[in-house]
Amino acid sequence: MPVPKKRTSRMKRNSRRAHDRLKLSVAQVCNNCGAFVLPHRVCQKCGIYKNEKVLTVN
Ligand SMILES: [Zn+2]
């Protein structure tokens, strides 16, 4: 089993993790209710996609 020769430094570890956070910033506003929705996905608040009702939400 391979074992790392050196412990990863704080800077190296943090630099690697700097990209982990970038994903969540992708968000759009729903045309119908104004909630944040992910692109190409049905709005979870009102169930509308491309101005059509495709989901029944209570
Ligand atoms: Zn909506």
Side-chain angles (χ1 to χ4, degrees):
M1 202 78 194
V3 173
K5 199 168 189 178
K6 282 176 187 153
R7 178 177 166 160
T8 309
S9 69
R10 262 176 291 174
M11 184 188 172
K12 198 78 177 147
R13 186 233 299 146
N14 291 343
S15 305
R16 182 176 65 236
R17 292 178 184 173
H19 296 276
D20 291 0
R21 214 189 131 87
L22 294 176
K23 273 182 188 171
L24 270 178
S25 54
V26 183
Q28 292 177 348
V29 174
C30 174
N31 287 326
N32 189 57
C33 67
F36 286 110
V37 284
L38 293 171
H40 305 112
R41 248 145 279 195
V42 180
C43 176
Q44 295 295 310
K45 278 273 174 66
C46 60
I48 279 182
Y49 181 67
K50 282 190 175 178
N51 298 322
E52 265 181 65
K53 189 101 178 163
V54 290
L55 254 184
T56 311
V57 186
N58 296 325

